[in-house]
Structures are given as structure tokens and as C-alpha cells.
Amino acid sequence: MYVLEARGLSRDFGGFKAVASVDFGLVEGSIHAVIGPNGAGKTTLFNLLTKFLPPTGGTILHKGEDVTRLSPPAMARRGVVRSFQISAVFAGLTVRENVELALLNANGLAWNLFGSLSRRPALKRAAEEMIERFGLSTYLEARAGNLPYGRKRALELATTLALNPAVLLLDEPMAGLGHEDIDKVSSLVREAGRGRTILLVEHNMRVVSDLADTITVMVRGEKLAEGTYDEVSARPDVIAAYTGGAHV
């Protein structure tokens, strides 16, 4: 079953077709990557699916129901949450406070943050477990704005998962990371995928080949190919379009 689906999805900018009548389906429980060269339309497709851009044509479905005109908050209430571009991290709060705030918000308690978890042992344990799970225990009282970039990415993912989304949409989660942090964040994304559905736009082909069950290749606003990494990376048209001739 497609948890998120596009039918004939299009987006024009002043006569330029950034996305041209694309059909797309995100299978429930899978990790699905969208790749393509610069200008391929993948970010526009992502913005359409996450409701940060309205389409000029086509339909978006969530579990078979038309959600084309819904807002991003309305999609979030359905359990479809976008991370990294719209961060749940507050730079002036500590790591602990950020995770606690996310958990309180997920439980309808964001109006009463500081000191609240001391009276809510289950949420306090959940915050501690989330912080440890994402390797942030040594940064517990550090302000989020002062974290190393890789740890900030881990905190962004932790706070997003604290909202317990059913569908997690990631826009270039590895952007700006060094090799060591890429491996760490990649492992966290894989762990995050257990029990939920993930859509990611990503340039790092090593990460894509390691994480994605299915890959959609975009070129000039259209869907060129779709399949496993081995299937799409062996296609001559993908090789030519994506790398100019070198193997993906």
C-alpha cells in the first residue's frame, strides 16, 4: 500500500516545468530515495509532497485520501513529518530541553515545559532513552546552538522522532557532514526507519545505496527510472543523465 502517493504531479514556475506530470508512490514501511542531477526537480517534488509548495497540477494522496490542498501542519497531524529543513531544534535550549520539549509537544503538553518531566516519570525516561540512543548523553546540558554540526543533526533527528511520525521526510540529511558524521547519521536514519516509512532526497550515493529500498531518479522534472540501487545504477540513461558517463 502507498502511504504517500502522487498522480500526475506538476509544478510550473513562470512557464518552466520544474516537475512535469510525475507519478510517485511511497510504500509503507520502506526507505525511498529521490536522486538526480542539479535542476532535476527532486527538491521541488519533495516540497510538493511535504506541502511546502502547492502543485499546479495533479493529486497527492495519503493512505488513499486526497490531501492535495492540506497544509504542512495538517499533514503533521496525520503523522507525516518533514525534518532538517524545518528544524525542531531551538539553539538557545540545551539538548535535554530540546528533547523534553519535543516529547511534551507530542503529548499535548508543550505549554508547560520546564520542570514538567520531573512530574512525568514515563516521559522523563523516554527523554533519557532518546538522548542516549542518539549518542548525545555527553552533550546533555550543552546548548543546541553550540553543538558540533554532526551532533546538531543527530539532535534534529532525535527531536523529530520524539514526535513519533509514521512517515519521515528527510531533505539531504547528510549535507555538510564529514565522513565520520555521515556514517553516524546514516546509522541513525536506518534505525529511525524501523517501524516507519522514510522518504529522503540525498546526493551521497554511498548512503543511498546503503539505506534505500527503492530509488527514484529525476531528470529535467520527469521520473527517468525507479527501482533498486543495482537496477537504476546499471541503466545507461541514468548513468548518462546523472554522472555524464561514469557509473553512479
Side-chain angles (χ1 to χ4, degrees), residues 40-86:
K42 56 189 182 297
T43 297
T44 302
L45 175 65
F46 187 90
N47 287 335
L48 291 168
L49 292 171
T50 56
K51 315 317 302 297
F52 281 76
L53 271 178
T56 50
T59 304
I60 300 171
L61 305 172
H62 176 240
K63 293 188 174 180
E65 184 176 346
D66 190 339
V67 295
T68 308
R69 302 302 169 190
L70 288 189
S71 66
M75 290 297 285
R77 287 192 291 272
R78 285 173 162 262
V80 181
V81 175
R82 172 176 175 160
S83 184
F84 297 135
Q85 285 289 334
I86 304 300

Side-chain angles (χ1 to χ4, degrees), residues 83-104:
S83 184
F84 297 135
Q85 285 289 334
I86 304 300
S87 173
V89 168
F90 294 91
L93 298 182
T94 67
V95 166
R96 176 183 56 79
E97 289 165 346
N98 266 284
V99 175
E100 289 182 356
L101 176 58
L103 283 168
L104 286 165

